[in-house]
C-alpha cells in the first residue's frame, strides 16, 4: 500500500448520535483512514457525553472549530421530553447546533448534491441553488405570550440610562397570542459579509430576499444593512468576480426560483432559510443529498450533513438490520472539511483526495449502486437498492481502482 497523505493541522471532529454515529465510524474506517494520515481533535457530542459534561463539550467543540479553522460534525439529537425519558437525562440542554451557531456567529450554506440519474422535480433547474441561512435571532430567539383576554400589548425598550421607548402592538379584543423577536445590526452585517465572501469565491450571483414592504423597520433594516455591506465592501469584488447582487421580495423570489434554472446563492433570513432549504432539498431529490456548512465571519467553517440522526433507521439497526441509510451527505461533510483544511494548509494532495472521494461516491450512484432513498427516484431504476455497508464498499472499490 502507498503512503498515506499527511496532514499539517488537525480538524475538529465532532461525533454525534444514532444512525449517523454508526455510519460516521464506517465512513472513516473504509473511505478515509486507508488514504489519509488523519489528524483530528475529537469531541464526543453524543447525548450521553453532553449530559456527562453538563454540555461543556459542545462549547469546547465550537472553540476548537474557531481555533483550528475547520470542523466536521456528525448529526446530534436535540433533546426533548421524549429523549429525556429514553436516555434518562437529568437536564435538557439546548440544541448543540444552536449553541455552535451562536458561538461561531455564522451563516449556514446548504447545497444539494446532484447526480445524473435523478432529476429535480422542478424541471427548469439545471444548476444547484445554494441557500444561505442567517443563523441568529428572529423567531429562534424570541419571547411569546398567551394573552388570556382583552387588553393592550406594547413593545417597551429600556435603554442603559433607564429612558424608555414604547410602541403599541395591539389592542386585543379577546384572548390571543403575541410574539416579540429581535436581531442585531452586527449579526446582520456579518451575515451579509459571509454571503458575499461565499458568492465571490464560488462566482455565484447573489439574491437576498425579505419582506420590507410589510415589515418596513425590521426587514427594512436587513435590506438596508445588506445593501450597505455590498456598496461599501463588496461592489468592486462582485464586479471583479463577474457576479451581480439583487434584492427582491421573498414572494417574488419564490416565484422566480421555481421558473429559473438555478445556479445562484439565495440569502435568506433565519426562518425563510429553514423552510426554503427543505424545499430545495426536497425538490432536488433527497434530504440525504444536501451538504451544509456553517461559515463564521472569521472564515472558520464547520461541515455537516443537512439531515438528522435518522432515528427510525437506528432502531432497526439496533435490532440487527443492515439499514439502507444514505451516507452521501456524511461523506461530503468529510470531503468538505478535508478540502478546506487542504486549502488553508496548502496541501494539494489532500485536495485531490477529497475530490476523488466525492467523484467515487457519485460515480457509484450513477453506475446503479445506491441506497433505497435514491433507488426510489432514479432513472434508470437500479436492479436492487444497497444497504449502507454495501454502498460504502462500492465507493471504496472505486476509490481503490481510481
Ligand atoms: P432525520 O434524521 O433527518 O430523518 C427523517 C427521515 O428522513 C428519516 O426517517 C428517513 O426517512 C429520511 N432520512 C434522513 N436522512 C436520511 C439518510 N441519510 N438516508 C436515508 N433516509 C434519510 O430527522 P428526524 O428523524 O426528524 O430527527 C432525528 C433526530 O435528529 C432528532 O433527535 C433531531 O433532533 C436530530 N436532528 C439533528 C440535526 C443535526 O444535528 N444537524 C438535524 C436535524 C435533526 P425514512 O424513515 O422514511 O426512511
Ligand atoms: Mg428545517
Amino acid at each position: 500500500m502507498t503512503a498515506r497523505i499527511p496532514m499539517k493541522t488537525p480538524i475538529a471532529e465532532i461525533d454525534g448520535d444514532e444512525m449517523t454515529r454508526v455510519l460516521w465510524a464506517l465512513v472513516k474506517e473504509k473511505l478515509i483512514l486507508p488514504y489519509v494520515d488523519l489528524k483530528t481533535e475529537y469531541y464526543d457530542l453524543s447525548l450521553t457525553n453532553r449530559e456527562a459534561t453538563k454540555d461543556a463539550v459542545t462549547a469546547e467543540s465550537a472553540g476548537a472549530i474557531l481555533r483550528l479553522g475547520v470542523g466536521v460534525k456528525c448529526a446530534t439529537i436535540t433533546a426533548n421530553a421524549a429523549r429525556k425519558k429514553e436516555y434518562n437525562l437529568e437536564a435538557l440542554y439546548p440544541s448543540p447546533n444552536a449553541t455552535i451557531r451562536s458561538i461561531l456567529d455564522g451563516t449556514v450554506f446548504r447545497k444539494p448534491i446532484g447526480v445524473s440519474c435523478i432529476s429535480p422535480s422542478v424541471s427548469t433547474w439545471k444548476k444547484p441553488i445554494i441557500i444561505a441561512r442567517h443563523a441568529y435571532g428572529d423567531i429562534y430567539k424570541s419571547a411569546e405570550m398567551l394573552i388570556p383576554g382583552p387588553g393592550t400589548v406594547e413593545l417597551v425598550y429600556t435603554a442603559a440610562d433607564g429612558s424608555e421607548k414604547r410602541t403599541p402592538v395591539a389592542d386585543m379584543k379577546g384572548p390571543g397570542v403575541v410574539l416579540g423577536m429581535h436581531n442585531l445590526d452586527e449579526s446582520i452585517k456579518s451575515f451579509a459579509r459571509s454571503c458575499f465572501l461565499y458568492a465571490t469565491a464560488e462566482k455565484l450571483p447573489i439574491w437576498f430576499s425579505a419582506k420590507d414592504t410589510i415589515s418596513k423597520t425590521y426587514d427594512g433594516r436587513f435590506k438596508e444593512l445588506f445593501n450597505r455591506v455590498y456598496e461599501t465592501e463588496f461592489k468592486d469584488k462582485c464586479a471583479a468576480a463577474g457576479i451581480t447582487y439583487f434584492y427582491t421580495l421573498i414572494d417574488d423570489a419564490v416565484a422566480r426560483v421555481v421558473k429559473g434554472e438555478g445556479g445562484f446563492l439565495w440569502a435568506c433570513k433565519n426562518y425563510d432559510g429553514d423552510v426554503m432549504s427543505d424545499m430545495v432539498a426536497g425538490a432536488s431529490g433527497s434530504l440525504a443529498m444536501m451538504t451544509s456548512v456553517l461559515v463564521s465571519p472569521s472564515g472558520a467553517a464547520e461541515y455537516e450533513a443537512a439531515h438528522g440522526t435518522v432515528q427510525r433507521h437506528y432502531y432497526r439497526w439496533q435490532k440487527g438490520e443492515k439499514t439502507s441509510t444514505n451516507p452521501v451527505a456524511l461523506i461530503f461533510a468529510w470531503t468538505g472539511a478535508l478540502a478546506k483544511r487542504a486549502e488553508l494548509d496548502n496541501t494539494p494532495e489532500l485536495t485531490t483526495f477529497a475530490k476523488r472521494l466525492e467523484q467515487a461516491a457519485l460515480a457509484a450512484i450513477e453506475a446503479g449502486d445506491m441506497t433505497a432513498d435514491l433507488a426510489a427516484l432514479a432513472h434508470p431504476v437500479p436492479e436492487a437498492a444497497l444497504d449502507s455497508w454495501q454502498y460504502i464498499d462500492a465507493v471504496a472499490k472505486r476509490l481503490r481502482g481510481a
Side-chain angles (χ1 to χ4, degrees):
M1 180 168 170
T2 50
R4 296 193 298 170
I5 301 163
M7 282 177 69
K8 281 189 193 163
T9 321
I11 57 182
E13 175 186 351
I14 304 171
D15 210 343
D17 291 299
E18 299 193 313
M19 204 59 217
T20 41
R21 187 181 180 98
V22 175
L23 296 177
W24 189 260
L26 195 67
V27 164
K28 266 175 72 179
E29 179 205 327
K30 300 264 182 167
L31 302 178
I32 297 171
L33 291 173
Y35 303 96
V36 180
D37 190 7
L38 192 63
K39 274 194 189 152
T40 70
E41 258 184 39
Y42 181 85
Y43 294 86
D44 182 2
L45 257 61
S46 64
L47 192 50
T48 333
N49 196 47
R50 278 180 274 145
E51 165 100 350
T53 62
K54 298 202 177 343
D55 208 29
V57 68
T58 307
E60 280 163 22
S61 73
I65 300 169
L66 285 176
R67 180 165 37 82
L68 299 170
V70 186
V72 60
K73 181 180 170 290
C74 182
T76 43
I77 292 170
T78 296
N80 57 14
R83 299 300 199 161
K84 194 170 179 198
K85 208 165 152 213
E86 181 183 358
Y87 284 82
N88 200 13
L89 304 174
E90 285 187 358
L92 280 186
Y93 294 105
S95 146
N97 283 346
T99 303
I100 295 173
R101 271 183 215 142
S102 70
I103 295 173
L104 266 67
D105 181 23
T107 299
V108 177
F109 296 90
R110 294 211 156 148
K111 181 179 180 181
I113 306 163
V115 276
S116 61
C117 52
I118 295 175
S119 322
S121 47
V122 178
S123 60
T124 54
W125 288 2
K126 304 274 180 285
K127 293 178 247 168
I129 294 168
I130 293 111
I131 302 277
R133 171 182 171 189
H134 184 211
Y136 178 84
D138 299 355
I139 58 165
Y140 303 86
K141 224 176 169 61
S142 62
E144 304 178 311
M145 203 192 277
L146 266 180
I147 303 294
T152 54
V153 178
E154 282 183 284
L155 283 180
V156 183
Y157 160 68
T158 313
D161 67 5
S163 62
E164 274 186 5
K165 232 173 117 175
R166 289 170 175 264
T167 193
V169 175
D171 186 4
M172 305 286 292
K173 301 279 179 255
V177 281
V178 64
L179 162 79
M181 61 185 197
H182 79 286
N183 225 297
L184 295 170
D185 284 1
E186 269 321 304
S187 179
I188 299 168
K189 285 191 276 180
S190 65
F191 166 50
R193 281 187 196 108
S194 302
C195 290
F196 285 114
L197 283 171
Y198 187 101
T200 47
E202 302 287 322
K203 303 212 180 337
L204 289 167
I206 170 165
W207 298 15
F208 175 52
S209 57
K211 191 74 177 176
D212 67 296
T213 46
I214 300 298
S215 171
K216 291 183 172 35
T217 304
Y218 199 106
D219 280 22
R221 189 72 173 163
F222 271 83
K223 179 184 175 183
E224 181 193 331
L225 292 178
F226 220 99
N227 203 48
R228 192 186 302 166
V229 169
Y230 170 69
E231 291 287 343
T232 58
E233 301 173 37
F234 285 95
K235 203 170 181 175
D236 296 344
K237 292 181 181 117
C238 285
I243 62 166
T244 49
Y245 165 60
F246 166 62
Y247 171 83
T248 191
L249 290 170
I250 178 79
D251 38 355
D252 179 53
V254 171
R256 286 169 186 261
V257 161
V258 294
K259 282 188 300 194
E261 58 172 50
F264 58 92
L265 178 76
W266 184 6
C268 292
K269 290 177 60 206
N270 210 345
Y271 171 79
D272 297 341
D274 186 349
V275 177
M276 293 309 159
S277 64
D278 281 6
M279 186 273 283
V280 169
S284 303
S286 162
L287 199 57
M289 297 294 278
M290 186 99 169
T291 61
S292 184
V293 54
L294 172 65
V295 182
S296 82
S298 69
E302 180 214 41
Y303 294 79
E304 61 169 348
H307 59 77
T309 61
V310 215
Q311 181 181 10
R312 288 198 282 164
H313 292 213
Y314 180 62
Y315 294 150
R316 301 209 307 264
W317 178 81
Q318 280 184 316
K319 289 188 192 135
E321 184 184 329
K322 286 212 156 164
T323 60
S324 185
T325 317
N326 188 341
V328 170
L330 286 176
I331 295 173
F332 274 64
W334 274 100
T335 54
L338 291 175
K340 183 72 187 175
R341 183 77 279 162
E343 179 197 317
L344 296 177
D345 289 355
N346 195 15
T347 49
E349 231 191 325
L350 194 59
T351 313
T352 309
F353 169 75
K355 197 87 248 137
R356 272 185 54 212
L357 176 49
E358 290 182 359
Q359 280 161 356
L362 301 184
I365 295 169
E366 288 172 351
D369 292 334
M370 65 188 88
T371 46
D373 55 319
L374 300 183
L377 304 166
H379 289 284
V381 181
E383 275 173 36
L386 305 184
D387 66 41
S388 308
W389 288 259
Q390 292 168 326
Y391 170 72
I392 288 172
D393 281 342
V395 178
K397 201 168 134 199
R398 282 175 183 274
L399 205 49
R400 279 196 298 275

